[in-house]
Amino acid sequence: ILLTACMARAAQSPSRWELLGQREVDFRNDHDQIDVGRSEGRFKQLEVRVKNAPIEIHDMVVTFGNGETFKPKLRHKFTEGSGSRIIDLPGERRTIKRIDFNYKSINRREGKGTVEVLGR
C-alpha cells in the first residue's frame, strides 16, 4: 500500500512538465486555440516552446475553467528550439480550459514553426 501511495504521489509531482498541446504556425498572422480541458489537471506554471522554425508571438490568452482569463506579456520573436520564461499563473493551481495565440512563422525558407505549451 505504501508503494502505491508513493507511486501515485510521484505521478502527480508538481515538478513534472506535461504537454498540454501544440499547433503548427502559418506565415500570415494566425490565430489558434489549444483546448486543454478539465481532464488534464490543475496547473501553476506554463512554458511555451518553439520547434522546427522561428515564430513571432503577438499575444497569448489563458482561459481558466471558471472563465477568468490571464494574458501574460509574451510578445517576442522566438528562434527555433527556444522557449519562453516560466510563466507563473495567478492564484493557486488552476484548471485551464484553453489557450489562445496570435502569432506567425517568420522565415519561409525555414518552414512553418510549431508552438508547444507545457504545464506543471
Side-chain angles (χ1 to χ4, degrees):
I1 295 174
L2 181 58
L3 178 61
T4 304
C6 289
M7 288 171 47
R9 200 172 316 123
Q12 295 176 345
S13 170
S15 62
R16 195 180 100 242
W17 287 100
E18 180 178 338
L19 180 65
L20 302 182
Q22 64 182 23
R23 292 287 183 271
E24 187 175 74
V25 184
D26 285 334
F27 293 104
R28 63 189 185 288
N29 285 335
D30 193 9
H31 173 87
D32 277 321
Q33 180 174 302
I34 295 175
D35 292 313
V36 180
R38 296 190 182 281
S39 62
E40 302 297 333
R42 298 167 68 79
F43 301 94
K44 184 80 176 141
Q45 297 177 315
L46 296 177
E47 184 179 10
V48 176
R49 294 185 187 162
V50 173
K51 298 188 327 186
N52 305 327
I55 67 168
E56 181 176 1
I57 296 179
H58 303 290
D59 208 14
M60 175 180 167
V61 179
V62 179
T63 303
F64 298 108
N66 64 359
E68 290 179 13
T69 59
F70 171 64
K71 194 172 172 181
K73 293 181 185 190
L74 196 64
R75 185 177 200 91
H76 188 72
K77 289 182 180 178
F78 291 91
T79 59
E80 187 277 327
S82 70
S84 71
R85 60 179 166 54
I86 304 292
I87 301 165
D88 290 319
L89 299 175
E92 296 299 313
R93 298 176 72 77
R94 305 186 72 166
T95 301
I96 298 172
K97 182 190 267 183
R98 72 176 181 270
I99 302 167
D100 291 275
F101 285 98
N102 286 310
Y103 49 22
K104 66 180 177 181
S105 288
I106 297 173
N107 189 333
R108 287 190 184 277
R109 282 178 283 143
E110 294 185 51
K112 291 182 179 181
T114 301
V115 65
E116 293 182 333
V117 180
L118 294 97
R120 73 172 173 190

